[in-house]
Amino acid sequence: MKVYKFGGASVAHADNILNVCNIIALEKEPLIVVISALGKTTNAIEKIIHEADTDKAVKMWDELCDEHKTIAKKLNAEEHSIVYLDEYQSEGREIIYDYSRRNSDEFYDQLISKGELMSTTIVVATLIERGLSSKWLDARKMFRSDERFRSANIQWRETEASVQDMINDHVQRYNVMVTQGFIASTRDGRTTTLGREGSDYSAAIISYCINAESMTVWKDVDGVLTGDPRIFPNATLISQLSYEEAIEMTYYGAQVIHPKTIQPIQRKEIPLNVKSFIHPDRNGTIINAAGGLLYPPMIVVSNNQYLLEFSSKDFSFIAERHLSMLFRKFNHYRIRVNMMRNSAISFIVCVSAEKERLELLKEEMAYDFEIEETTNLQLVTVRHYNQSTIDFLTKGKTVLFEETHDITYQMVLK
Ligand code: ADP
Ligand code: ASP
Ligand code: MG
């Protein structure tokens, strides 16, 4: 079996959804399709969550649900979807009314997951309308996770068994099985999510569990390029990448694939295609176990970075006990450490995190440390770097921090 994954951009409008259905219809073998929320729906739900304790929230929610219904109508897919869309809408309202009683990360997951539930409902209804034998599968019944809401960890053994059971139950009767990316559930049935942009990872989990023949992620770019084309319009396609190289690129933040995607499929040596949903006939990028490939310089840019410099208030040198205290808190507040350096009297880290979590960390650490913060920085990573690429990237910028190891060059730029 093959696994396809379509992200938000590929299902943003009715026309795009038809395009996705055409791509699906071309596949003759049984197919498992993983789909994200439509367009920017997840961002829109985040805004609603932000307003959850105001009168506006329910109105915003109703508007979002109406937009989904309008798309279903345009696709003639109302008949097979309206009951479910109405149900998600009223469940969403209940969740918003209930907000004050809930732990907020758990609340977030209960509401944000509706995006994927609605999008997959519309896509399946459209496929059925066009005569394709398709089945909607509930990802929450297949993906078992722990209770770390908003960035849940998959419980692999239970997930493998339930994915296999669910697929085996339906594969004889349906050509296409469609499920949600991004969402899972705890053992007691509470919805969790795997972290923003996590649908690629969901597709990798399914691929791993069923030993898929291949996995394809359909994107708005031709494949993996030497850099983000929105920043580097001259970026070129890399037609083949090894798993190792893809892991490194995505770990450093290349947005085109979620960083957790590659390892499960590497373990089973499942080829991963990155292809364009705009030009599905093009070859795209293939990621597999290939060795001995030569790569051009590949650039990854991550914005919204912070440099934090900690020095101890009691004038002691920075020692292991300080570092262990800091790292426990980085973990607690889910702050990602991207680069670091310690000297006798200070410890400097380049981190990325939600602003609120960073403020909490600083507040808590202020008793023991003087903290200096520089905000709004860019972390630039170049794999297979050469001097001309570094010169090009640093032109007119201040390099605050830099490091090389082997073929990787990293710098923090202002
Ligand atoms: P999805 O629709 O599956 O969520 P994303 O929008 O998250 O997909 O990822 C695709 C985007 O990733 C592209 O539009 C592109 O701007 C960006 N991107 C960043 N780095 C790269 C890269 N090295 N190669 C291709 N695209 C990249
Ligand atoms: N809809 C989720 C998000 O926007 C998951 C995904 O698209 O991968 O983060
Ligand atoms: Mg995405």
Side-chain angles (χ1 to χ4, degrees):
M1 260 182 286
K2 292 180 183 167
V3 174
Y4 280 5
K5 181 261 166 173
F6 293 95
S10 67
V11 286
H13 310 286
D15 292 350
N16 300 37
I17 295 174
L18 283 181
N19 176 53
V20 162
C21 293
N22 288 337
I23 293 174
I24 291 173
L26 286 175
E27 184 56 54
K28 297 290 167 255
E29 303 290 314
L31 190 65
I32 296 167
V33 181
V34 175
I35 296 185
S36 303
L38 305 186
K40 301 277 179 214
T41 298
T42 308
N43 293 351
I45 304 179
E46 278 193 347
K47 284 205 188 101
I48 296 171
I49 290 170
H50 209 73
E51 302 282 347
D53 51 358
T54 73
D55 296 338
K56 270 195 273 176
V58 172
K59 186 167 170 278
M60 290 162 80
W61 174 248
D62 284 344
E63 280 168 10
L64 185 70
C65 293
D66 287 345
E67 283 167 26
H68 281 76
K69 289 179 192 169
T70 306
I71 290 180
K73 203 171 185 175
K74 273 194 192 155
L75 291 162
N76 292 327
E78 254 186 323
E79 186 192 334
H80 301 287
S81 64
I82 194 71
V83 176
Y84 305 106
L85 296 177
D86 279 341
E87 197 175 307
Y88 297 135
Q89 180 165 7
S90 54
E91 282 171 10
R93 280 193 201 148
E94 294 290 314
I95 296 167
I96 296 169
Y97 288 132
D98 236 14
Y99 173 56
S100 54
R101 284 191 278 124
R102 290 178 179 240
N103 157 307
S104 68
D105 283 346
E106 183 175 346
F107 166 79
Y108 175 101
D109 281 354
Q110 310 317 303
L111 196 65
I112 209 96
S113 53
K114 297 285 186 254
E116 269 68 12
L117 292 166
M118 292 196 286
S119 67
T120 46
T121 299
I122 294 173
V123 171
V124 171
T126 311
L127 290 169
I128 293 173
E129 171 61 30
R130 306 183 84 215
L132 267 104
S133 99
S134 328
K135 176 74 184 165
W136 183 92
L137 300 181
D138 190 338
R140 296 167 300 180
K141 299 223 162 80
M142 295 192 278
F143 292 73
R144 193 63 57 247
S145 79
D146 63 7
E147 298 187 359
R148 196 175 158 98
F149 294 98
R150 292 189 70 168
S151 55
N153 297 299
I154 285 295
Q155 313 287 297
W156 283 94
R157 255 196 229 131
E158 288 170 68
T159 301
E160 191 170 7
S162 47
V163 167
Q164 287 175 359
D165 286 350
M166 185 82 105
I167 304 286
N168 286 337
D169 278 353
H170 296 102
V171 69
Q172 302 300 339
R173 269 191 300 150
Y174 299 98
N175 282 345
V176 186
M177 284 158 277
V178 177
T179 195
Q180 307 76 44
F182 182 51
I183 72 176
S185 89
T186 61
R187 197 169 290 161
D188 60 359
R190 286 175 295 157
T191 305
T192 55
T193 59
L194 307 175
R196 287 299 309 265
E197 301 293 326
S199 296
D200 292 338
Y201 180 42
S202 300
I205 296 165
I206 295 202
S207 301
Y208 174 93
C209 293
I210 62 159
N211 291 311
E213 175 189 333
S214 68
M215 168 172 153
T216 304
V217 289
W218 296 88
K219 302 273 169 178
D220 60 355
V221 282
D222 276 349
V224 179
L225 309 176
T226 50
D228 188 336
R230 288 171 300 187
I231 311 172
F232 306 106
N234 296 329
T236 52
L237 180 76
I238 306 168
S239 53
Q240 192 177 9
L241 272 176
S242 68
Y243 292 121
E244 287 78 10
E245 194 57 44
I247 288 172
E248 294 291 334
M249 265 185 95
T250 54
Y251 168 79
Y252 288 119
Q255 192 208 323
V256 62
I257 306 171
H258 189 276
K260 283 177 156 180
T261 308
I262 314 289
Q263 287 193 66
I265 58 155
Q266 177 187 29
R267 184 70 61 84
K268 298 267 179 93
E269 290 209 11
I270 299 164
L272 170 60
N273 303 294
V274 184
K275 286 182 58 123
S276 160
F277 62 79
I278 304 162
H279 303 288
D281 47 318
R282 294 187 184 163
N283 285 337
T285 299
I286 173 133
I287 301 172
N288 58 19
L293 299 171
L294 283 177
Y295 299 103
M298 302 194 284
I299 307 166
V300 180
V301 176
S302 308
N303 292 318
N304 300 324
Q305 303 288 314
Y306 298 80
L307 265 191
L308 299 177
E309 179 163 2
F310 298 89
S311 33
S312 68
K313 279 196 167 161
D314 62 2
F315 307 109
S316 59
F317 291 132
I318 292 291
E320 284 68 17
R321 73 187 160 85
H322 300 109
L323 298 180
S324 110
M325 189 180 349
L326 287 169
F327 275 91
R328 261 205 312 276
K329 290 299 161 192
F330 292 152
N331 180 46
H332 177 74
Y333 288 114
R334 303 186 189 177
I335 288 166
R336 179 175 161 141
V337 175
N338 297 315
M339 282 173 84
M340 61 189 151
R341 178 182 303 158
N342 61 326
S343 68
I345 52 164
S346 74
F347 176 63
I348 307 177
V349 269
C350 169
V351 297
S352 43
E354 277 175 23
K355 198 164 172 26
E356 292 80 21
R357 294 182 196 259
L358 210 58
E359 290 305 323
L360 290 171
L361 170 102
K362 284 187 334 199
E363 224 169 83
E364 203 175 319
M365 293 289 97
Y367 183 78
D368 294 298
F369 296 95
E370 294 286 352
I371 307 168
E372 248 181 70
E373 181 189 63
T374 319
T375 60
N376 218 355
L377 304 173
Q378 229 177 23
L379 172 67
V380 181
T381 306
V382 189
R383 299 270 302 159
H384 310 278
Y385 69 95
N386 57 27
Q387 195 53 47
S388 61
T389 308
I390 306 299
D391 292 345
F392 162 72
L393 291 166
T394 52
K395 200 166 171 212
K397 305 225 165 139
T398 312
V399 182
L400 298 180
F401 206 55
E402 65 188 314
E403 195 171 86
T404 50
H405 40 267
D406 195 17
I407 53 167
T408 307
Y409 193 105
Q410 283 197 291
M411 54 200 162
V412 178
L413 301 178
K414 191 166 180 62

